[in-house]
Amino acid sequence: MTYYGYFNGIIQPTDQIGVGVTDLGLLRGFGLFDYFLTYNGKPFQWDWYWERFRHSAEKMTLTLPLSREETYAILLDLLRRSGQPGPVRRSGGTADVAFRLVMTGGYSPDSISIVKPNLLILSEPIHPVPAEQYEHGIRVILDEYVRPMPEVKTTDYRHVMLLSGKIREAGAQDVLYHLHGELSELSRSNLFLVKGNRLITPSRHILRGITRRTVMDLARPDFQIDERPVLLSDLYDADEAFTTSSNKKVLPIVRIGDLPVGNGHVGPVARELLDRFRSFTNS
Amino acid sequence: MTYYGYFNGIIQPTDQIGVGVTDLGLLRGFGLFDYFLTYNGKPFQWDWYWERFRHSAEKMTLTLPLSREETYAILLDLLRRSGQPGPVRRSGGTADVAFRLVMTGGYSPDSISIVKPNLLILSEPIHPVPAEQYEHGIRVILDEYVRPMPEVKTTDYRHVMLLSGKIREAGAQDVLYHLHGELSELSRSNLFLVKGNRLITPSRHILRGITRRTVMDLARPDFQIDERPVLLSDLYDADEAFTTSSNKKVLPIVRIGDLPVGNGHVGPVARELLDRFRSFTNS
């Protein structure tokens, strides 16, 4: 199956797009991105993702070369070209895809000065989280770190990539960052703790996840939501923990560092919220 | 004039090289590099640059796809192709160039896992520092920061790029990092202070510059060299300051933050060491 992408005005198969070697994303790590899925052939929570991408660009001092409407039209074009008849919509519809927007400092005459950003809009296959991770939950290791500019979705993932060996050796799937006793987020997703009828989620040093926000909205009728600084010590009396992201949706965490969360098994609240999220995206 | 580059086995003009969109340098800022000049048609201090590049790669858990000898042969090939008769060597020789080695996490099937690094070897035009900066010295602003993994030449320059407006507004040319009262380095070059007959240079939180090392070797017969933690307070009684890098060579700093260094003019030691460096590279 061929996926298509847009790069500075041209649409072509993604594996044929070539970025020049003076790009500041490549040479200087100066880049930002966003990532979201389509459901039933429509970009999910597009308004919120666009707003976050716009905010990231602003913080990185880059001017978006396309409007919201122009970008959306390109998404639909890519979706149509990349689509194939899939099991989701049997009556001639298109399969869902992931979209990645990537903006860098652009081509530079002197390898450091920004002249005009480069914008990539890529459609990609969705890599679903294995079903057994939903069934049995995941494990995470703790790491003392906070992402620089956590509210901006930069391309800076060196830290977690250098931890990949340690994560694997621990039999874990991800890392949970903390600093000065305060928990923030996983490497690419947000954290929730469950205590009785309360959902507790860090209020700072995080990327403001769209799935986080969606899950809070879906939970609000039945749960009290505490958005506040969350301490390492909050882990000890948590009944459950889970993480949220575009791709992970609501994924239970059963072990953090050396300790089980609650009874060490996937709990009813994570299951319930995953059900609600799936129903919401199906409709 | 056409410059040539090597990318994963193929040599072509650098402006024709295209890096695919799943490259982890581009998507995740996972990259390292090195940069050096040729003098009289020969890569300067090649052994030291190669060793530093090898060390950076190791710290980034990447395996070099080429040996030292294979890389050197490619450098000479690129130099020959990129060269044109220049003013430096009138008798049919080649003009000098800059070389940039860039290695990234390579193409990734899932946008995060490393499979095989991508290696770029690029020849580039040299961008000489304007003569008036050697004559009058440069100004730098102070900034509270230390580069993550400073001993590794990663592609992570987001921090200084976001400071570029502030540097320009201050009428400065660069930034000098300090943290907890300790000075480390400029954004892309090392720091030296001069006090009488002593050269003082930070011993930690720095990239170990090849020009720094060369200048120390050239100075050693006549100066005492103190490689040690350097404090902000060391600035107050410094006679001179200068910075060293492949491209800057020995560049005087006459103002740091709000204060002049010494009498605020380029001093004799910086001039002397620049002379020695130029003589050394000419021979």
Side-chain angles (χ1 to χ4, degrees):
Chain A
M1 164 150 189
T2 305
Y3 289 87
Y4 283 77
Y6 165 101
F7 181 41
N8 290 347
I10 294 166
I11 289 177
Q12 55 188 315
T14 52
D15 59 8
Q16 288 172 29
I17 300 175
V19 177
V21 295
T22 65
D23 179 81
L24 291 171
L26 189 68
L27 292 186
R28 301 293 184 176
F30 198 88
L32 60 110
F33 75 112
D34 222 309
Y35 180 88
F36 48 94
L37 306 186
T38 67
Y39 288 101
N40 308 313
K42 270 189 63 179
F44 182 64
Q45 305 284 40
W46 161 245
D47 290 355
W48 294 355
Y49 281 105
W50 172 259
E51 180 50 29
R52 185 168 74 180
F53 187 60
R54 198 198 56 68
H55 174 259
S56 288
E58 190 178 299
K59 292 287 176 186
M60 292 282 278
T61 71
L62 297 180
T63 306
L64 287 166
L66 295 178
S67 71
R68 185 183 169 291
E69 289 69 30
E70 288 165 333
T71 309
Y72 193 73
I74 292 167
L75 294 178
L76 296 187
D77 188 346
L78 296 178
L79 183 61
R80 189 177 48 77
R81 294 188 201 227
S82 303
Q84 66 172 9
V88 177
R89 299 182 61 182
R90 288 185 194 85
S91 52
T94 55
D96 284 310
V97 302
F99 279 119
R100 186 183 302 270
L101 311 180
V102 184
M103 192 151 83
T104 73
Y107 296 135
S108 179
D110 62 357
S111 314
I112 192 84
S113 307
I114 296 171
V115 178
K116 193 162 103 34
N118 278 333
L119 176 65
L120 283 158
I121 306 175
L122 306 171
S123 68
E124 300 180 355
I126 296 172
H127 299 288
V129 173
E132 62 265 27
Q133 292 193 10
Y134 290 105
E135 209 174 315
H136 301 298
I138 63 163
R139 296 168 170 220
V140 301
I141 61 170
L142 285 165
D143 185 60
E144 232 178 306
Y145 181 67
V146 67
R147 288 196 307 119
M149 304 174 72
E151 78 285 3
V152 178
K153 208 165 166 74
T154 71
T155 53
D156 181 3
Y157 286 78
R158 187 181 59 249
H159 187 86
V160 65
M161 289 174 73
L162 289 174
L163 280 178
S164 64
K166 204 174 157 191
I167 293 170
R168 206 170 36 240
E169 282 159 29
Q173 285 76 40
D174 207 338
V175 60
L176 172 58
Y177 297 134
H178 64 103
L179 199 67
H180 309 310
E182 198 174 323
L183 295 164
S184 55
E185 57 190 2
L186 283 75
S187 70
R188 286 158 290 157
S189 59
N190 289 115
L191 173 71
F192 283 84
L193 301 181
V194 182
K195 298 188 187 191
N197 204 41
R198 281 182 303 143
L199 300 185
I200 302 158
T201 190
S203 55
R204 55 187 189 182
H205 312 312
I206 61 163
L207 182 79
R208 306 213 159 262
I210 307 294
T211 307
R212 172 180 179 270
R213 184 169 160 185
T214 305
V215 166
M216 287 197 285
D217 283 354
L218 293 171
R220 203 161 272 123
D222 303 294
F223 294 89
Q224 181 190 324
I225 296 174
D226 291 359
E227 230 181 318
R228 61 159 167 91
V230 177
L231 304 180
L232 266 171
S233 55
D234 277 308
L235 292 176
Y236 293 99
D237 60 344
D239 302 322
E240 298 181 34
F242 60 85
T243 186
T244 59
S245 80
S246 303
N247 200 45
K248 297 185 172 82
K249 311 179 204 301
V250 178
L251 183 61
I253 305 170
V254 293
R255 196 171 185 92
I256 296 178
D258 296 329
L259 295 173
V261 181
N263 64 9
H265 295 285
V266 172
V269 175
R271 276 195 219 278
E272 166 65 20
L273 293 173
L274 177 61
D275 280 350
R276 288 190 192 185
F277 187 82
R278 284 185 167 151
S279 300
F280 183 67
T281 54
N282 282 339
S283 69
Chain B
M1 164 148 191
T2 305
Y3 289 87
Y4 284 78
Y6 165 101
F7 181 42
N8 290 350
I10 294 166
I11 289 178
Q12 55 186 317
T14 51
D15 59 8
Q16 288 174 29
I17 300 174
V19 176
V21 296
T22 65
D23 179 81
L24 291 171
L26 190 69
L27 293 187
R28 301 293 185 179
F30 198 88
L32 61 112
F33 75 113
D34 221 309
Y35 180 87
F36 48 94
L37 308 186
T38 67
Y39 288 101
N40 308 312
K42 271 189 63 180
F44 181 64
Q45 306 283 41
W46 162 246
D47 290 355
W48 294 354
Y49 282 105
W50 172 260
E51 180 49 31
R52 185 169 73 180
F53 187 61
R54 199 200 54 70
H55 174 257
S56 289
E58 189 178 299
K59 292 286 175 186
M60 293 281 279
T61 69
L62 297 180
T63 306
L64 286 166
L66 295 178
S67 72
R68 185 183 168 292
E69 291 67 30
E70 288 165 332
T71 309
Y72 193 73
I74 291 167
L75 294 178
L76 296 187
D77 188 345
L78 296 179
L79 183 62
R80 190 177 48 75
R81 294 188 201 228
S82 302
Q84 66 174 8
V88 177
R89 299 184 60 182
R90 287 183 197 88
S91 53
T94 55
D96 284 311
V97 301
F99 279 120
R100 187 184 300 271
L101 311 179
V102 184
M103 193 152 83
T104 73
Y107 297 135
S108 180
D110 62 358
S111 315
I112 193 82
S113 306
I114 296 171
V115 179
K116 191 164 104 35
N118 277 332
L119 176 65
L120 282 158
I121 305 176
L122 306 171
S123 68
E124 299 182 357
I126 296 172
H127 298 289
V129 173
E132 62 265 26
Q133 291 193 9
Y134 289 104
E135 209 174 314
H136 301 298
I138 62 163
R139 297 168 168 216
V140 301
I141 62 170
L142 286 165
D143 185 61
E144 231 178 306
Y145 181 68
V146 67
R147 288 195 305 117
M149 305 174 71
E151 78 285 3
V152 177
K153 208 165 167 75
T154 70
T155 54
D156 180 4
Y157 286 77
R158 186 179 62 248
H159 188 85
V160 64
M161 291 175 72
L162 290 174
L163 280 177
S164 64
K166 203 174 159 193
I167 293 170
R168 207 169 36 239
E169 281 159 29
Q173 285 75 41
D174 207 338
V175 61
L176 173 57
Y177 297 134
H178 65 101
L179 199 67
H180 309 311
E182 198 174 324
L183 295 164
S184 55
E185 58 188 0
L186 283 74
S187 69
R188 285 159 289 156
S189 58
N190 289 115
L191 174 71
F192 283 85
L193 301 181
V194 182
K195 298 189 186 189
N197 205 41
R198 279 183 303 145
L199 300 184
I200 302 157
T201 190
S203 55
R204 57 187 188 181
H205 310 312
I206 62 164
L207 182 79
R208 308 216 156 259
I210 306 296
T211 307
R212 173 181 179 271
R213 183 168 161 187
T214 304
V215 166
M216 287 197 286
D217 283 354
L218 294 170
R220 204 162 272 122
D222 303 294
F223 294 89
Q224 182 190 324
I225 295 173
D226 291 0
E227 230 181 316
R228 61 163 168 86
V230 177
L231 304 180
L232 266 171
S233 55
D234 277 308
L235 292 176
Y236 293 100
D237 61 345
D239 301 322
E240 298 181 35
F242 61 85
T243 186
T244 59
S245 79
S246 303
N247 199 45
K248 296 186 174 80
K249 312 181 203 297
V250 179
L251 183 62
I253 305 170
V254 294
R255 197 171 184 93
I256 296 177
D258 296 329
L259 294 173
V261 180
N263 65 9
H265 296 285
V266 172
V269 175
R271 275 194 220 280
E272 167 65 21
L273 293 174
L274 177 61
D275 280 350
R276 289 190 192 185
F277 187 82
R278 283 184 168 152
S279 300
F280 183 65
T281 54
N282 282 339
S283 68

